[in-house]
Amino acid sequence: MEQEFNNRVYGFVVIKSINSNYNADFSGQPRKLPNGKVYATDKALKYSIRNFWKNALGEDVFYFKSLTEDMSPRTLDETYEMHFGKMQSKGAELRKEILGNILKKLDVKLFGGTYAGKTNISVHGTCQITHGINRFPEDVIYSEQIMSPFRNPGDKSKDSTMTTLGSQSRLEEGHYVHHFSVNPKNIEEDVKRIGGEGLTNDDIDKLKEGLRKGASYYDSAAKAGTENELLFWVQLKKDSKMVMPSFIEFVDINEEGVIDLAKVKEYLAQDHIANEIEAVEIYYNQSVTEVINTPDQAVFTTI
């Protein structure tokens, strides 16, 4: 059995998006808050991490779209049976069976999920991720027309030579900051209930790798130019009861894209906080990203 991970963690991820659309709404525009500030949902980051685990690490993730032989998306119960075979139990025992199986999957253990199929289960994942806010001073969105090589089938004129026109939208420059926390105790009761395995060091290694590489790995036409820029990881001592606030407002990014951690450094330097910290890790590529005013105790690693 893998060694269990019992520390709580706080931190943030910075996702850089240059002439790209990291997380579009259903109209194809980068998402905006009512005040006009560009943001991204937690689902955008989680999807990129799941995709990285599945396609780069070969991890068997559960909450991920899959298709049947006739190319229809599988239902939740069909997805379960694809992973674990036919359900063997009924009633309360079925809930326990499903809980025990899905908690074996890395994405469920970390991100949790709601199972609403033949039974209803909710798992509070150990890693909670917030929406990402663009901390770059400007939110410049532009649209451009694009042309399809095919004629519009809605045009009934047989003599029409016009191909289909469309548009795509991009954010000129953005630096999205997602706050996250890790608490192994979130699944403690469920693990005891099924006699399973809690959060392990191997799970944490895969989480860190996904947080460092997921957005860069997912390279589509709309997301070209979106990449992981920085991972900031604060690991508390095992017996710590410290609760930290969201780091999003602590991160400043100027017009040149320089990441300023002065507010983070000041916060972590307070004696009553510094005494609770076991490790501070910062992951970024120093050849392309400039980070200033980093905490004194930080250990640096290339992303």
Side-chain angles (χ1 to χ4, degrees):
M1 180 176 290
E2 290 281 347
Q3 184 177 356
E4 287 197 356
F5 181 87
N6 295 310
N7 302 70
R8 288 187 300 117
V9 176
Y10 291 90
F12 59 89
V13 177
V14 183
I15 305 296
K16 180 171 68 175
S17 185
I18 306 296
N19 294 318
S20 182
N21 194 344
Y22 170 44
N23 185 210
D25 61 22
F26 286 106
S27 71
Q29 293 278 328
R31 295 177 186 270
K32 290 191 293 185
L33 295 171
N35 64 5
K37 197 66 184 170
V38 170
Y39 79 99
T41 68
D42 61 304
K43 309 297 186 299
L45 181 57
K46 288 176 182 175
Y47 181 86
S48 71
I49 294 171
R50 283 189 172 100
N51 179 72
F52 176 79
W53 285 339
K54 178 179 173 62
N55 295 306
L57 302 186
E59 193 72 28
D60 194 17
V61 299
F62 184 75
Y63 284 99
F64 205 81
K65 181 179 177 180
S66 64
L67 304 178
T68 62
E69 291 183 0
D70 62 359
M71 297 188 69
S72 298
R74 285 187 173 88
T75 66
L76 186 55
D77 287 331
E78 288 172 341
T79 300
Y80 176 88
E81 293 182 350
M82 178 185 72
H83 285 279
F84 306 109
K86 293 289 184 180
M87 300 176 188
Q88 302 297 317
S89 309
K90 294 182 179 180
E93 288 302 313
L94 178 59
R95 289 195 292 274
K96 190 173 180 180
E97 175 191 334
I98 292 176
L99 177 63
N101 280 328
I102 64 175
L103 265 179
K104 296 174 184 175
K105 300 300 183 183
L106 180 65
D107 64 314
V108 178
K109 191 185 290 188
L110 284 166
F111 298 150
T114 298
Y115 193 99
K118 289 185 178 179
T119 190
N120 294 304
I121 296 172
S122 180
V123 177
H124 185 190
T126 53
C127 179
Q128 301 298 311
I129 298 175
T130 71
H131 283 32
I133 306 298
N134 179 25
R135 296 293 290 167
F136 191 68
E138 298 180 341
D139 297 273
V140 178
I141 296 172
Y142 64 92
S143 298
E144 54 194 6
Q145 284 191 317
I146 55 176
M147 180 178 290
S148 164
F150 307 108
R151 183 172 64 86
N152 186 350
D155 190 338
K156 302 303 181 182
S157 172
K158 293 182 179 179
D159 298 325
S160 174
T161 60
M162 295 298 293
T163 55
T164 305
L165 292 176
S167 66
Q168 59 186 15
S169 298
R170 298 285 188 270
L171 179 67
E172 186 176 55
E173 181 168 356
H175 300 261
Y176 299 81
V177 180
H178 292 268
H179 174 83
F180 70 86
S181 63
V182 177
N183 186 353
K185 290 188 178 296
N186 287 353
I187 60 170
E188 190 174 61
E189 290 187 5
D190 286 334
V191 168
K192 288 180 179 178
R193 188 173 291 116
I194 61 174
E197 183 180 57
L199 198 63
T200 68
N201 287 331
D202 184 57
D203 297 332
I204 290 297
D205 288 342
K206 290 175 181 176
L207 173 62
K208 284 183 177 180
E209 192 169 5
L211 290 169
R212 299 194 324 263
K213 301 177 180 178
S216 298
Y217 183 82
Y218 187 74
D219 192 17
S220 68
K223 291 180 173 57
T226 295
E227 57 190 40
N228 294 84
E229 190 168 29
L230 181 143
L231 166 61
F232 190 92
W233 181 276
V234 181
Q235 188 164 304
L236 302 181
K237 296 176 180 177
K238 288 184 179 180
D239 59 349
S240 174
K241 303 296 189 294
M242 172 68 63
V243 176
M244 291 187 171
S246 170
F247 283 117
I248 292 176
E249 298 296 326
F250 290 7
V251 180
D252 292 315
I253 300 175
N254 65 22
E255 292 84 354
E256 285 74 42
V258 176
I259 301 174
D260 187 348
L261 302 183
K263 295 175 184 175
V264 179
K265 179 179 181 178
E266 181 181 2
Y267 172 75
L268 296 182
Q270 299 174 83
D271 288 342
H272 70 286
I273 294 173
N275 292 336
E276 301 288 327
I277 295 173
E278 181 176 286
V280 177
E281 302 170 14
I282 303 178
Y283 299 80
Y284 72 103
N285 188 340
Q286 298 183 27
S287 65
V288 296
T289 301
E290 184 177 355
V291 183
I292 60 175
N293 297 317
T294 56
D296 295 334
Q297 69 270 52
V299 175
F300 298 91
T301 306
T302 299
I303 202 165

